[in-house]
Amino acid sequence: SHFKPECFYAKSATSNKQRRRLRPHAVPTVFTFRPQPKERPSADARRDVAAVRVLDAAQRKRVPKPKPGESEAEFALRIQLESERKRNRELEMEVERQKNEITLLKSQLFRYANIKDDATQLEFLTGLTPEIWTSVWTILKPDDGIQSRKTAIREREGRKVALGAGRKSELSLEDELMLTLVRLRLGRLEGELGYMFRVDIGTVSRIIHKWLSFMYLRFGMIPMWPKWEEVERSMPEVFRRKYPNTFIIIDATELRVEKPSSLSHNSHS
């Protein structure tokens, strides 16, 4: 029954009825509840618990113990050495990871070493095919110069031009030459070149000025004009008859540009 005894009328002595009568407003208050079943952990939780137990057991097995005949001082020293070796292995792994990360980052930089094998990209950026680049590099010889890379000093209009002197650049000589050629070929702004090569704009300006001066000196040593005997031998017959003293023919194209009103300034345009 869900009712307490006081919820019923008391039985009279003269009544033979077995059925009890509830009082008005009686409320059932007696219940027997089954205990709720315990919720089973998820599969992931069970696996985690099992892994923790296995790890704890393994760690308990790995607890170092003194070897037979080993003193406490020797035991403590051995544990310290093992700990240092473990730490060294972890540091070596971290150094290797950092090296791999640096190598990956370098491969993503805008550098000559990363595009030299792409002939199309190299020609687009510098205007030179790989073969012509090699020839130009051989003519310039920036690695040795007349003396050495660090002491190759030239005189131009009373100013010294040093290639490779001063503070070490973040770019290699090949990168510096490519930067200069990209400037000449595509007309990229110095700020844009600085962003491409990850150097500041002042460094870009110094590199371009240095290489233009150096190329002027190097290429100036190359003889431009053939000998008169070669010109005469290859001269067309019509020129030989009408213009026998012709050495070269210069073709020019005139382009009108806006000129300053000042005559002194106009003379420089």
Side-chain angles (χ1 to χ4, degrees):
S1 174
H2 298 294
F3 296 91
K4 294 181 179 180
E6 55 266 24
C7 294
F8 297 94
Y9 285 110
K11 290 184 178 182
S12 62
T14 58
S15 176
N16 296 327
K17 294 181 178 180
Q18 297 296 327
R19 187 174 182 181
R20 295 182 297 175
R21 294 174 57 200
L22 282 171
R23 293 179 182 274
H25 310 296
V27 178
T29 56
V30 179
F31 297 96
T32 302
F33 296 99
R34 288 184 180 180
Q36 293 291 332
K38 190 175 180 180
E39 185 178 356
R40 189 182 184 189
S42 64
D44 293 337
R46 294 198 301 274
R47 280 195 295 268
D48 293 341
V49 171
V52 170
R53 290 175 179 171
V54 171
L55 181 60
D56 290 342
Q59 289 177 349
R60 285 194 297 271
K61 290 180 181 179
R62 279 197 232 107
V63 173
K65 297 180 181 179
K67 295 180 179 179
E70 188 177 39
S71 66
E72 293 185 1
E74 293 173 341
F75 173 68
L77 181 60
R78 180 168 61 85
I79 297 302
Q80 183 179 0
L81 290 176
E82 290 178 357
S83 177
E84 292 296 332
R85 291 193 190 100
K86 181 180 179 182
R87 177 60 179 165
N88 288 339
R89 287 194 296 269
E90 293 175 352
L91 290 176
E92 289 174 357
M93 293 175 62
E94 178 65 18
V95 169
E96 189 65 25
R97 188 187 67 81
Q98 294 286 352
K99 286 182 178 179
N100 294 335
E101 186 175 351
I102 291 173
T103 303
L104 177 62
L105 291 175
K106 283 184 177 180
S107 67
Q108 297 172 351
L109 290 175
F110 193 82
R111 295 291 186 268
Y112 170 74
N114 297 335
I115 67 168
K116 64 180 181 179
D117 297 328
D118 190 341
T120 302
Q121 190 72 0
L122 181 64
E123 186 174 2
F124 169 75
L125 292 170
T126 64
L128 306 179
T129 63
E131 294 77 14
I132 297 178
W133 172 282
T134 303
S135 300
V136 170
W137 189 262
T138 303
I139 294 172
L140 291 175
K141 294 182 181 178
D143 286 322
D144 52 8
I146 293 179
Q147 301 176 26
S148 67
R149 184 171 77 88
K150 293 185 178 180
T151 60
I153 301 177
R154 305 288 181 269
E155 295 287 343
R156 180 190 177 192
E157 299 176 0
R159 294 177 298 169
K160 290 185 177 181
V161 180
L163 185 63
R167 187 166 62 95
K168 185 177 180 180
S169 173
E170 298 177 8
L171 306 178
S172 65
L173 291 176
E174 291 88 346
D175 296 332
E176 292 183 358
L177 176 58
M178 186 173 73
L179 183 150
T180 305
L181 294 178
V182 170
R183 169 72 168 175
L184 297 175
R185 160 83 169 168
L186 303 177
R188 297 287 177 85
L189 299 178
E190 292 183 354
E192 187 178 5
L193 290 172
Y195 180 79
M196 291 168 61
F197 286 85
R198 295 296 189 268
V199 293
D200 61 83
I201 189 172
T203 301
V204 173
S205 180
R206 287 191 295 271
I207 289 174
I208 293 175
H209 180 268
K210 175 177 64 178
W211 273 91
L212 289 179
S213 301
F214 185 74
M215 287 192 291
Y216 170 79
L217 293 168
R218 280 298 197 189
F219 290 141
M221 300 177 185
I222 302 175
M224 287 183 56
W225 310 112
K227 296 180 179 180
W228 170 252
E229 292 78 8
E230 297 176 357
V231 174
E232 188 177 20
R233 185 170 57 251
S234 60
M235 183 182 297
E237 188 62 30
V238 62
F239 275 85
R240 199 188 306 273
R241 290 196 309 267
K242 294 185 178 181
Y243 312 102
N245 297 325
T246 302
F247 187 74
I248 61 171
I249 299 175
I250 299 177
D251 186 16
T253 301
E254 183 178 1
L255 299 176
R256 294 187 177 276
V257 297
E258 186 176 356
K259 298 180 179 180
S261 57
S262 173
L263 295 178
S264 61
H265 293 165
N266 192 7
S267 63
H268 297 291
S269 63

